[in-house]
Structures are given as C-alpha cells and as structure tokens.
Amino acid sequence: MSTEFARGTRLHNAFNKETFVFSGLLDNRDVARFGVTLEKDGSGGGNALVHLHPGADEHFAVKSGRIKFVVDGREQLVDAGGSVTVPRGRPHYFANAGDGNAELEVSFTPAQQHLRFFANFATLTVKQPAWFSRAGDPNFLLIALVLHTYRDHLYLAGVPIWLQKLLFAMLAPVARLVGYRMAIEPLSEALAGAGSGSNA
C-alpha cells in the first residue's frame, strides 16, 4: 500500500492491451491529464465495461489511430485529430477500432484523484494478476474495495449509485479480510489540497 506516485510513470495493463502514461502534473485539483495507448483490440474503461464518472467530465483527444466511443449507447468512431467529451454521469466506454496502436490524451475536470485511481488498477494487474480473470476482469470484492476507497470516481452503469455505494461499503472490509489490498491509496483531502499543482 502506497500513496507515492511518480511523474513519468508508464503502466501497462496486459489484460486490456492498454498503457497509461502519466507524464503531466500529478495531484492537481483542477485537471487530471494522462496519455493512453491502446494496442489492437485494446479497450479502455475496464475491458470495455460501461461505466460513469459522477463527479467529473472526461475529455478524449485522439492523437493517432481510430477509437470507438460508446456514450449513452450511441457509437461514434473518431480518428486522429478528433475529440470527444463525456459529461459527468453519462455511461460510456471506448476501444481501439483500428488495425494498429491508437494513442489518445485523457483528461478529467475537476481532477479528483483519477490519476491515482487508474494507476492503482493498472499496478494491480501487474503485481497481482491472480486477482483478475483470464479476460482481465477484477474479482468483485476487489472492485468493491477500490470503488469504495475511491468513492465518487467511477461507478458501473445500469445500477443505482446509492445501491453501489451501500454494497461496496459493506464488501470493502470483507475484501480486506480475505487479503485484497490497494496498490496506490488516495491522498487525504488535506494532502490533496496542499499538493494541488504539484509535480510529484
């Protein structure tokens, strides 16, 4: 368990065929920005799991390749130079729709702690692959622990958020009891405020 997170970190999720590139400002309260590379057939948003972010708008800028975005059930193909903004609370996922690698820049406004949230999941796929299925889906107890720890960052689409909060709060202690742990913990609110605009 760690709260340390270094600028310039690259994390590869072999299950998703997705690489995160954290080269910008870290723990900035205003915007969380990072790069994503998707290999052929790679997907973002947890194995193309439809999800939503209740507290932040998400902006995608496609740098190379072609990305399929599905927002509110509507599919959109975006090539290099194009962009998509997903307003907070809207169900979505995205995937590589081309024959080679695709690169995009992702940003969240406000930042919350989305950098740490995604870094945590990607780190766990490397350090604890047994906690994921062959398809890369995390054990449900692990999902409960992470989504409870990073409350109001991401929820599954199609299930009322209040019910997910209740369920995750009940299951998080069980997850810890059976041995699941976070790779990267969120900063406390006080530290997050003090670290706004920090590079490390």
Side-chain angles (χ1 to χ4, degrees), residues 1 24 45 70 106 110 113-114 119 133 135 146 156 161 166-167 175 181 192:
M1 167 172 78
V70 178
V106 181
Q113 295 195 50
H114 279 94
S133 73
V146 173
L156 310 177
I161 289 178
L166 178 62
L167 182 62
R181 294 291 184 270

Side-chain angles (χ1 to χ4, degrees), residues 2-83:
S2 174
T3 57
E4 296 302 316
F5 186 63
R7 181 178 181 180
T9 299
R10 295 177 64 92
L11 295 169
H12 178 63
N13 180 344
F15 294 117
N16 286 33
K17 300 181 179 179
E18 179 180 34
T19 298
F20 294 92
V21 184
F22 300 103
S23 57
L25 296 176
L26 303 181
D27 299 323
N28 184 328
R29 186 178 291 273
D30 299 321
V31 61
R33 183 174 289 112
F34 52 93
V36 171
T37 299
L38 292 178
E39 299 168 24
K40 183 180 178 181
D41 300 323
S43 64
N47 287 341
L49 184 69
V50 183
H51 64 280
L52 56 90
H53 307 284
D57 301 323
E58 186 173 14
H59 180 77
F60 300 90
V62 180
K63 301 299 184 182
S64 68
R66 170 176 283 190
I67 301 291
K68 177 180 74 174
F69 295 94
V70 178
V71 183
D72 284 329
R74 292 188 291 273
E75 181 178 313
Q76 179 180 0
L77 294 175
V78 180
D79 292 310
S83 63

Side-chain angles (χ1 to χ4, degrees), residues 138-145 156 167-168 171 180:
N139 181 281
F140 190 73
L141 284 176
L142 178 59
I143 292 176
L145 175 61
L156 310 177
L167 182 62
F168 297 154
L171 292 179
Y180 291 110

Side-chain angles (χ1 to χ4, degrees), residues 85-110:
T85 296
V86 180
R88 65 194 69 189
R90 304 284 285 277
H92 64 283
Y93 75 89
F94 61 97
N96 187 345
D99 293 326
N101 286 359
E103 298 179 340
L104 59 158
E105 182 181 81
V106 181
S107 57
F108 288 89
T109 310

